[in-house]
Amino acid sequence: MLQTLLADLNTQLKTLKAKVSEYTEIDFSLRSPVVSDNSIEMGLKGVFYNTQQRVEPPSSPPAFSLASQNTNMFYIAVSAFTINSAFLLLHKTNVFNIRITDDMVPSVSPIRLSTTTFGAFIPQISETHPDLKLELKVETVKEPIIKLEQDHVILQLLSTVTAVQSDNTTNTLFVLNLESVASVQVSVEEGDLAFNLTLEKIKGSMNDKPFKVENINFLTVIMHNIVFPIIKAHLAKGLQPPGLLGSYIGKVHIVNPQVKVLNDYVLIGTDIEFEENTSS
């Protein structure tokens, strides 16, 4: 009986996957368990796939091993490969393509979606199109890339921003082709991962003519306080991150979580408390 149960559990662990959106699922099936006297280390696949057409990523995941850890009860390491496989799929399914309107900006914000705002870091915009309200269509040209180094996260993004006049959406005012590099600080706030992004470099063209970005600090404020909250809300509508433990054991409470960024992976360590699942 016990052998049958263990065999069944082993089969389930080798085929674990979870749907996170209409067209996206993550395969986190068990690959390489290692059992020692005081720990169990489980290697999970961690690759995102299109539910309509399962295609393997263009490259294989690099091997990495965890340094010995014994401060917390539970650790999970997420590789750059896993994050980038998600970015690739979200790009291909156009999830990153969104339309941003001024009514999506918090009403208390002094920064509005207008040519005046954009003119603060690209003067040609306000000079050519003074004091006009905008709608923006944001598209990724290719998938974003995350690079993880010791205590350092780098995000590379190629995007196109098409601006139209808000009361005349057939009137395209300008098109920005942007190449951005940002550093990202990762932390845990109230049990959730939090990200603080700082633009390090941005260059591009407007209507196919190169331009120089002025006042990059102001642009960082706009991205952090306006653009990224809108993108986060947009992504949250269609994405439902899977519960790795809760659906099997009951409610899981994390205690004193810590985040470390290491070479090629992010390590999250935490103590955990289980609440018995009393549902039948």
Side-chain angles (χ1 to χ4, degrees), residues 37-92:
D37 292 338
N38 56 10
S39 67
I40 301 175
E41 182 175 325
M42 296 185 293
L44 306 178
K45 186 171 183 179
V47 178
F48 287 80
Y49 292 98
N50 190 323
T51 57
Q52 307 298 310
Q53 184 180 16
R54 188 181 175 98
V55 178
E56 293 297 327
S59 60
S60 300
F64 72 92
S65 59
L66 301 182
S68 177
Q69 307 285 340
N70 55 17
T71 305
N72 296 109
M73 295 171 59
F74 178 79
Y75 293 91
I76 182 169
V78 182
S79 69
F81 180 88
T82 292
I83 299 171
N84 287 326
S85 79
F87 282 169
L88 175 62
L89 185 55
L90 293 173
H91 167 70
K92 287 187 173 181

Side-chain angles (χ1 to χ4, degrees), residues 18-33:
K19 194 171 183 179
V20 295
S21 76
E22 182 179 1
Y23 301 110
T24 309
E25 68 180 12
I26 180 173
D27 182 336
F28 55 99
S29 50
L30 185 64
R31 285 295 179 266
S32 53

Side-chain angles (χ1 to χ4, degrees), residues 13 21 33 50 69 98 111 119 138 161-162 173 175 244-245 248 269 280:
L13 289 173
S21 76
N50 190 323
Q69 307 285 340
I98 63 173
I111 301 172
V138 181
V161 179
T162 302
L173 299 178
V175 178
L244 298 180
L245 293 175
Y248 298 100
S280 56

Side-chain angles (χ1 to χ4, degrees), residues 232-270:
K232 182 179 178 181
H234 168 74
L235 293 176
K237 292 178 182 178
L239 300 179
Q240 297 178 338
L244 298 180
L245 293 175
S247 59
Y248 298 100
I249 302 174
K251 291 184 178 179
V252 178
H253 301 281
I254 63 174
V255 180
N256 191 31
Q258 306 291 327
V259 178
K260 293 181 181 179
V261 179
L262 302 168
N263 289 327
D264 291 328
Y265 67 94
V266 175
L267 181 67
I268 304 170
T270 183

Side-chain angles (χ1 to χ4, degrees), residues 194-208:
F195 304 94
N196 186 21
L197 181 144
T198 301
L199 281 173
E200 301 290 350
K201 181 177 69 173
I202 184 168
K203 64 179 182 179
S205 63
M206 183 176 71
N207 301 335
D208 295 325

